[in-house]
Amino acid sequence: MANKKERKGLPVLLTLTVAALQVVHHWTGPVSVALYAAGDEWPLVQAYVRFLRRCYVPVRDRVTFHAAFPADRMPEAAAQPEQMTEILSLEAHLDCFRPEPSLKELMRQRRPETMRWRTRHGYPQNHLRNLARRTCQTEYVFLVDVDVVPSLGLAQGLNEFLKNAQCGGASAAAPPAVLPRPPRTGAGPRVGQRPGPPQCAFVIPTYELDERVRFPRNKSDLVRLAGKGLARPFHHKVFIYNQFATNFSRWQNEGDADNAPVHVAYNVTNFEFLYEPFYVARDTIPAHDERFMGYGYTRNTQVYEMFVAGVQFQVLSPAFTVHWGLQSKQARPAWRELQNNENRRHFDLFKREVAVRYRRDPLSMVQPNRASGKT
Ligand SMILES: *[C@@H]1O[C@H](CO)[C@@H](O)[C@H](O)[C@H]1NC(C)=O
Ligand SMILES: *[C@@H]1O[C@H](CO)[C@@H](O)[C@H](O)[C@H]1NC(C)=O
Ligand SMILES: *[C@@H]1O[C@H](CO)[C@@H](O)[C@H](O)[C@H]1NC(C)=O
């Protein structure tokens, strides 16, 4: 019985290629993937899913796909017969050894108008994260972006760990043991509203990895690569707050054996706003707020709400995840800036709601004398 799973949060189909295939080969538990398709993309997305299922046994065995559509771009299920014939004959020639070019080939069939529509509209990632969560039935969730690859044996290791995982008494600063279940308006349904015991979230450190090296076999292999500058904490250069509170130097110095069972190495003690680790938790944690769309504030706001709710973050070892490619700071395209600004405005309201919902404001995000701003 699998009691946790992997859920794919950010399923831009174009990234559901090499890294995603590595994910399903490494992860031996069930996987729930959320897809977003607009109008004429749907028959093409279906063709690609058929291709993946035909070519890769782990996809066939372990992955369920779930789709969401924009209301004003419902799927054109009954594509024109001649278009369908074209898609099918194209599909028949896709090469299992070339998943990425195959995807590109299919996506080229989209109407130019659809591609333009894509660039104008924010990606509803939190809606898709909730969709992937909601369509899984396991007790624990490991929600990741589609290109975050788990270390080898992680699913089995977590299964063993979670069987006996305990979350001790809530920390002194924490509110009541049972997560409140606030009524919700306007932001879509909440996921997992059962009250539960005191909550812990088990952080699995994420590294970015130079594309020229082999996937690390184990933690000491990863630490060795980090020592050579071929691996480093995810987003270290782009946005250090992203994972800072995980305390990678401490994690690397833990010195636990590679074949040690998955265990809690230490607690996160320096939580700060904008922290957004990938973590495993019971699916009773708050949903992702769907008002955040596109770039910025989508995942870290959910992590922030967990913190305010009193969830204790605990860092696991020797488990880890990897994101391919060392990332460096780049100029942000204008659309990103726009989406980020839009989400920042939502955040002004969101942080006030969270403070009211849990009746606490541990990071002093809501200053009473500033509260008369726009809402
Ligand atoms: C870590 O957090 C758990 C859960 O809140 C708590 O029981 C435990 O005592 C903490 N460990 C340390 C070393 O503070
Ligand atoms: C990381 O852990 C070390 C102890 O190993 C501690 O001295 C340091 O303050 C921690 N840093 C953060 C950011 O938690
Ligand atoms: C960890 O990986 C390294 C490098 O591949 C290997 O030499 C070592 O034997 C591995 N350790 C264990 C316990 O598997």
Side-chain angles (χ1 to χ4, degrees):
M1 179 183 62
N3 63 349
K4 42 94 212 64
K5 61 195 160 277
E6 169 139 23
R7 288 163 171 190
K8 319 315 285 316
L10 189 58
V12 180
L13 195 62
L14 282 166
T15 67
L16 184 65
T17 49
V18 179
L21 287 168
Q22 195 169 33
V23 171
V24 292
H25 283 83
H26 283 197
W27 181 265
T28 53
V31 177
S32 170
V33 176
L35 302 170
Y36 184 54
D40 65 316
E41 290 174 340
W42 181 232
L44 299 163
V45 169
Q46 286 176 300
Y48 195 61
V49 168
R50 283 194 299 270
F51 161 81
L52 292 174
R53 289 176 51 84
R54 165 165 68 81
C55 294
Y56 306 99
V57 174
V59 173
R60 213 151 56 224
D61 286 353
R62 303 203 269 272
V63 183
T64 56
F65 293 92
H66 310 278
F69 311 100
D72 56 345
R73 300 251 148 179
M74 289 308 270
E76 295 167 20
Q80 325 295 356
E82 61 280 12
Q83 190 201 350
M84 208 55 222
T85 313
E86 202 176 314
I87 293 175
L88 288 174
S89 74
L90 181 59
E91 187 185 333
H93 293 101
L94 297 180
D95 180 352
C96 287
F97 292 99
R98 305 178 73 237
E100 184 135 359
S102 298
L103 177 61
K104 288 197 175 129
E105 208 168 319
L106 278 170
M107 289 301 131
R108 262 202 298 276
Q109 309 295 312
R110 288 185 294 176
R111 284 198 291 269
E113 196 270 325
T114 303
M115 297 185 214
R116 280 197 299 277
W117 179 88
R118 277 270 183 185
T119 60
R120 282 196 316 268
H121 289 78
Y123 192 81
Q125 31 198 312
N126 278 359
H127 180 70
L128 292 163
R129 289 180 172 126
N130 289 335
L131 173 63
R133 286 174 59 176
R134 219 179 283 136
T135 47
C136 276
Q137 279 98 50
T138 50
E139 186 185 353
Y140 283 91
V141 190
F142 181 26
L143 176 87
V144 291
D145 290 349
V146 73
D147 49 1
V148 171
V149 186
S151 51
L152 293 159
L154 182 57
Q156 300 95 304
L158 281 173
N159 260 347
E160 284 305 309
F161 167 73
L162 292 171
K163 254 189 234 160
N164 302 310
Q166 292 192 351
C167 189
S171 69
V178 174
L179 279 182
R181 296 184 296 130
R184 190 76 172 164
T185 50
R190 309 283 294 180
V191 174
Q193 300 219 339
R194 279 177 291 133
Q199 296 249 2
C200 285
F202 303 110
V203 172
I204 302 186
T206 305
Y207 279 76
E208 52 189 46
L209 189 65
D210 191 297
E211 263 143 357
R212 294 163 300 181
V213 303
R214 199 175 68 148
F215 193 94
R217 312 319 288 168
N218 51 43
K219 180 172 171 177
S220 46
D221 202 10
L222 175 64
V223 170
R224 181 184 59 84
L225 292 168
K228 290 174 155 179
L230 296 168
R232 66 184 178 214
F234 185 48
H235 272 21
H236 188 70
K237 291 272 159 67
V238 179
F239 192 64
I240 193 167
Y241 308 106
N242 183 285
Q243 310 272 317
F244 192 66
T246 295
N247 202 342
F248 286 82
S249 56
R250 183 162 180 190
W251 190 79
Q252 288 181 197
N253 287 329
E254 277 295 295
D256 35 7
D258 288 323
N259 49 11
V262 173
H263 61 279
V264 174
Y266 50 89
N267 290 350
V268 169
T269 52
N270 291 313
F271 187 98
E272 55 190 346
F273 175 59
L274 299 177
Y275 183 42
E276 53 175 10
F278 293 106
Y279 61 81
V280 176
R282 282 215 167 81
D283 203 14
T284 49
I285 54 168
H288 288 72
D289 194 300
E290 299 185 4
R291 287 170 295 183
F292 297 108
M293 297 254 296
Y295 183 78
Y297 295 89
T298 60
R299 224 153 50 72
N300 56 31
T301 44
Q302 193 272 346
V303 172
Y304 169 68
E305 181 171 350
M306 285 170 71
F307 176 72
V308 176
V311 173
Q312 172 69 54
F313 289 85
Q314 304 190 300
V315 181
L316 297 186
S317 186
F320 60 90
T321 54
V322 160
H323 186 281
W324 283 107
L326 299 178
Q327 308 193 334
S328 50
K329 244 187 182 132
Q330 290 161 348
R332 285 184 185 166
W335 60 264
R336 268 197 162 195
E337 242 7 279
L338 280 175
Q339 293 181 350
N340 199 50
N341 292 341
E342 184 73 13
N343 284 336
R344 187 178 299 124
R345 273 193 291 279
H346 289 312
F347 180 69
D348 280 341
L349 177 58
F350 175 84
K351 67 183 181 190
R352 291 188 170 86
E353 291 174 353
V354 168
V356 171
R357 187 176 302 149
Y358 300 96
R359 293 196 210 99
R360 58 196 296 263
D361 182 23
L363 299 182
S364 303
M365 300 288 283
V366 183
Q367 313 285 331
N369 51 4
R370 256 183 36 197
S372 56
K374 59 184 178 313
T375 48

